[in-house]
Amino acid sequence: MESNLAPPETSAIERSDTDHDRRPQPPIKDRFSFTECAKQTHSLRALFELLVNCATEEGFGEVAYGALNFVEPLRLAEYPPPTVAVKWPPDWCERYFKHKYHTIDPVVRRTPMLLRPFLWDQLANHYPLQPDERRVLDEAREAGLKHGMSVPLFGPLGRVSVVSFASPSDDVDPQDRFGHLNALASLFHTAHGEIARPCNNGGEKKVALSQREITCMRWVAEGKSSWEIGVILEISLNTVNFHIKNAMRKLGATTRIQAVAIAIRLNVF
């Protein structure tokens, strides 16, 4: 997880908010269906299987979820830290844990430095990787984890987690599924947090959003950008962002997708 190599000042891996805002977003039925299914389970294994099934439909059925800088209270017992849950080819899984590849895996090392999802190929192209880091990527590719993508996920107290997706096929492009996989990772991470840290009072917390905040968040759930929401509601871009940020703060979310997931789980809208 540690690395002496500092990231470059600018990188193609780090894309602007505008660039990501223009990416095609998952249809609302996809987000809602995942979240609604996730609400029905209190099992990490069932939740992870749901994630794998959805990612498989996108062509990226090799999936791993890890907690990089803290001990996750809810994990599948058969996998040692930092992995929480994993679906990899059995031979690669055995080799990875036997040789403790997480200590030299560039995805594990670099994720805490990056704020946005990244492709493994970009990671190799834009960072001066050490020979052992390149070896892990090469061996993973040979084992069937091709065209990988990872999504950094940030929580309270500086916690960093990551969901990684890879395809066994040479014929898929993660760039085409970027928005969908990013959304799946965030929704899964939020649902996992709900299972791992249930409310102490035995009931769900109450969140009161204003009507305007609810309206804006409903359009966010539809995949609309702030600019598009402003046009629809005939309000300024700054006003839209103001309402969305307020809703995120009240919901305790760090991203828009996470805010939508939390709002759905709490029946806010």
Side-chain angles (χ1 to χ4, degrees):
M1 202 180 309
E2 299 177 353
S3 173
N4 294 324
L5 297 176
E9 292 183 3
T10 58
S11 168
I13 296 176
E14 296 279 6
R15 298 179 180 273
S16 69
D17 288 336
T18 302
D19 291 338
H20 278 270
D21 210 24
R22 291 174 180 169
R23 291 187 182 280
Q25 294 299 312
I28 186 171
K29 64 181 180 63
D30 293 346
R31 295 185 184 183
F32 279 6
S33 61
F34 182 94
T35 304
E36 287 301 319
C37 289
K39 287 174 66 175
Q40 306 304 315
T41 180
H42 297 285
S43 161
L44 170 58
R45 191 175 300 278
L47 180 65
F48 186 67
E49 288 176 355
L50 175 63
L51 174 66
V52 171
N53 289 339
C54 291
T56 299
E57 292 180 2
E58 302 288 341
F60 290 83
E62 307 301 332
V63 185
Y65 178 54
L68 301 188
N69 62 352
F70 65 104
V71 178
E72 176 54 60
L74 180 63
R75 65 171 61 249
L76 296 183
E78 59 264 39
Y79 302 115
T83 304
V84 175
V86 61
K87 189 272 178 183
W88 283 337
D91 290 346
W92 172 244
C93 196
E94 180 181 359
R95 187 193 321 172
Y96 190 93
F97 293 124
K98 178 180 179 181
H99 295 290
K100 298 182 179 180
Y101 274 1
H102 68 275
T103 61
I104 58 174
D105 187 343
V107 172
V108 174
R109 286 181 169 182
R110 306 294 171 159
T111 291
M113 305 176 188
L114 300 170
L115 297 177
R116 305 187 184 283
F118 58 90
L119 306 182
W120 295 355
D121 290 341
Q122 289 181 341
L123 189 67
N125 291 338
H126 294 280
Y127 286 88
L129 299 185
Q130 298 175 3
D132 56 355
E133 293 178 309
R134 289 188 175 275
R135 176 166 57 87
V136 171
L137 290 180
D138 290 341
E139 290 186 13
R141 191 175 297 109
E142 292 173 0
L145 276 70
K146 305 173 182 178
H147 303 296
M149 167 189 168
S150 293
V151 182
L153 299 158
F154 301 94
L157 305 177
R159 292 180 171 182
V160 182
S161 303
V162 62
V163 173
S164 293
F165 303 95
S167 174
S169 172
D170 289 314
D171 300 327
V172 299
D173 183 358
Q175 197 78 40
D176 293 338
R177 317 312 299 166
F178 207 94
H180 286 220
L181 295 175
N182 181 26
L184 279 176
S186 297
L187 293 172
F188 169 83
H189 182 60
T190 298
H192 175 272
E194 295 279 338
I195 296 174
R197 292 175 290 276
C199 297
N200 293 328
N201 60 7
E204 292 183 328
K205 62 182 180 181
K206 302 298 181 182
V207 176
L209 301 186
S210 70
Q211 187 56 52
R212 184 63 89 180
E213 289 164 356
I214 292 174
T215 301
C216 288
M217 291 307 301
R218 282 175 174 164
W219 285 115
V220 170
E222 292 277 7
K224 300 297 184 183
S225 68
S226 292
W227 181 83
E228 290 171 321
I229 297 171
V231 172
I232 293 169
L233 300 181
E234 298 182 344
I235 58 178
S236 71
L237 177 66
N238 287 338
T239 301
V240 173
N241 286 332
F242 171 79
H243 290 306
I244 291 174
K245 288 179 180 178
N246 276 347
M248 290 171 58
R249 174 180 54 79
K250 292 177 181 179
L251 293 165
T254 57
T255 68
R256 294 183 177 202
I257 294 174
Q258 184 183 36
V260 169
I262 293 173
I264 294 172
R265 292 182 69 87
L266 296 179
N267 295 315
V268 173
F269 61 80

